[in-house]
Amino acid sequence: LPEILSDALGVCFDTNVGHDYIDNSDDRFEFYHTVEDRLPFDLENFNAITKGGLPNKTLNVALAGTGVGKSLFMCHVGAGALMQGKNVLYITMEMSEERIAERIDANLFNLPIDQLEKLNKQMFDNKIAKIAQKNIGKLIVKEYPTGAAHTGHFRALLNELKLKKDFIPDIIFIDYLNICSSSRMKGLGGSINTYSYIKSIAEEMRGLAVEFNVPIMTATQTTRSGFSNSDVGLEDTSESFGLPATADLMFALVSTEELDKLGKMMVKQLKNRYNDPTYKKRFVVGVDRSKMRLYDVEESAQTLNDDIPVFDKSNSGQAIKTERKDYSDFKV
């Protein structure tokens, strides 16, 4: 009787029971030569390290300290996607919907953010009309209370947007991962540690990306020691090392006093499933904080290579290097 039941329950209309190495070799060949849909950046080096942009069904994480530019980076990439005619969903749990839209305005208007309030209604409408003529995509910004929303809420929002506004995003930004909640683990208690909790949130986000066939871009904070570290590593990820274990792409945004004076920001690859992470491991992008914009800099302005952290070439880095050399000569 158990055998009969097993045979009966084994009946399925799906004929695929796995990939046969020999019989399905043609399918594999086609897979190798299929061009994957990617959402390109408007930054050359990011396209280089991702082989042309972000693929669907992926979780991509920016790691940075407080005030370095996580939201700036995501707003810039979101504005760039809009100008490509892509639909963008920006979920914020840190700033209000209007503050995020204000940053997008500064970026697209090419205007310092403190000048927006000085525009009269006619000037503002004219700028919006010029942008609308460029056939841009659609942007939806949705705010949730800090720590109160999880992927269940995001899933409901996506279904509601599709039903009520016929809106299907091409990329989702979540600002940011650590202040989301988990749909599987109900709050941090005595039996739940931060490693498991944050890893659970990351897995749920990546599952959401797979379910809706979109790339998700989010961010996370550095640890206290990582905040002052000019050469950030995966070990500087705050709260949970399970996050970099789950992410497809993870990179650090690093800012120092010297870089700020030059209007630059360093990007360091930490994990990359799309390309060799040692290729362009570190590079510099220009930053205009007043207009919430990033831009490419000339190759001669990179002033670093894959072996030497950018901080080591700064005045502070050279001073610290000299001090270390003096101490190394001291014998007890």
Side-chain angles (χ1 to χ4, degrees):
L1 187 60
E3 260 183 59
I4 295 172
L5 287 172
S6 297
D7 292 340
L9 293 172
V11 174
C12 181
F13 293 106
D14 185 4
T15 58
N16 181 23
V17 290
H19 180 86
D20 189 294
Y21 182 77
I22 300 298
D23 294 342
N24 298 127
S25 58
D26 290 341
D27 296 337
R28 194 163 65 253
F29 180 83
E30 289 181 14
F31 172 78
Y32 293 155
H33 294 81
T34 300
V35 178
E36 189 174 14
D37 288 336
R38 292 174 181 264
L39 197 153
F41 293 89
D42 60 354
L43 298 167
E44 182 181 343
N45 283 319
F46 273 98
N47 282 328
I49 66 173
T50 58
K51 291 186 176 179
L54 298 178
N56 293 331
K57 303 181 181 181
T58 57
L59 178 64
N60 309 276
V61 183
L63 170 68
T66 302
V68 172
K70 299 185 296 296
S71 297
L72 185 154
F73 176 83
M74 289 195 285
C75 285
H76 174 84
V77 176
L82 277 178
M83 297 307 293
Q84 297 174 44
K86 305 295 184 182
N87 290 336
V88 176
L89 174 61
Y90 198 111
I91 297 172
T92 173
M93 279 162 287
E94 190 172 36
M95 290 185 287
S96 67
E97 297 171 358
E98 292 78 13
R99 288 300 179 191
I100 296 297
E102 180 185 37
R103 291 174 173 227
I104 301 289
D105 278 339
N107 185 293
L108 296 182
F109 290 1
N110 193 25
L111 195 69
I113 196 167
D114 60 356
Q115 297 296 315
L116 292 176
E117 61 187 28
K118 298 179 181 179
L119 293 176
N120 59 42
K121 186 66 166 66
Q122 184 178 357
M123 294 170 65
F124 182 81
D125 289 343
N126 289 340
K127 288 185 177 293
I128 291 292
K130 285 182 181 178
I131 292 172
Q133 289 173 0
K134 297 179 180 179
N135 225 3
I136 69 168
K138 195 169 185 179
L139 168 68
I140 299 291
V141 183
K142 176 63 177 175
E143 178 187 3
Y144 288 98
T146 302
H150 52 67
T151 51
H153 298 95
F154 306 154
R155 184 177 294 105
L157 173 65
L158 286 162
N159 291 330
E160 196 171 0
L161 287 171
K162 183 178 180 181
L163 180 66
K164 294 182 178 179
K165 292 198 172 187
D166 194 26
F167 176 86
I168 300 175
D170 296 296
I171 184 170
I172 300 173
F173 294 89
I174 300 177
D175 192 2
Y176 60 97
L177 185 141
N178 295 64
I179 52 178
C180 292
S181 59
S182 171
S183 61
R184 295 181 292 176
M185 298 183 179
K186 302 301 178 184
L188 288 172
S191 61
I192 303 176
N193 54 62
T194 55
Y195 174 89
S196 302
Y197 192 71
I198 300 301
K199 187 174 190 295
S200 175
I201 296 172
E203 290 170 347
E204 291 160 17
M205 275 194 191
R206 194 173 187 283
L208 190 73
V210 172
E211 182 181 346
F212 287 90
N213 193 33
V214 293
I216 289 180
M217 172 68 72
T218 187
T220 188
Q221 296 272 15
T222 58
T223 58
R224 184 169 56 182
S225 60
F227 179 76
S228 58
N229 188 356
S230 63
D231 197 30
V232 179
L234 286 175
E235 69 279 2
D236 294 309
T237 306
S238 68
E239 295 186 295
S240 175
F241 200 75
L243 173 54
T246 307
D248 295 284
L249 172 68
M250 193 163 179
F251 54 90
L253 303 174
V254 181
S255 181
T256 64
E257 289 184 12
E258 284 80 6
L259 284 171
D260 284 340
K261 289 178 183 177
L262 295 171
K264 295 179 183 178
M265 181 187 293
M266 188 187 81
V267 180
K268 179 186 176 183
Q269 291 190 70
L270 303 177
K271 180 183 179 181
N272 192 341
R273 286 177 175 166
Y274 317 136
N275 204 349
D276 181 359
T278 61
Y279 172 64
K280 291 184 180 288
K281 188 172 183 65
R282 298 181 184 88
F283 58 88
V284 168
V285 294
V287 56
D288 186 343
R289 295 184 184 276
S290 66
K291 297 179 180 178
M292 296 293 150
R293 277 189 164 190
L294 300 174
Y295 56 90
D296 290 316
V297 297
E298 296 178 2
E299 196 65 31
S300 58
Q302 291 290 334
T303 65
L304 53 85
N305 57 46
D306 286 349
D307 299 321
I308 303 175
V310 66
F311 184 74
D312 288 357
K313 290 195 171 186
S314 67
N315 295 333
S316 299
Q318 291 291 347
I320 292 173
K321 186 177 179 181
T322 303
E323 290 175 5
R324 287 174 179 169
K325 185 177 180 182
D326 293 342
Y327 287 136
S328 65
D329 293 336
F330 182 76
K331 295 181 181 179
V332 180

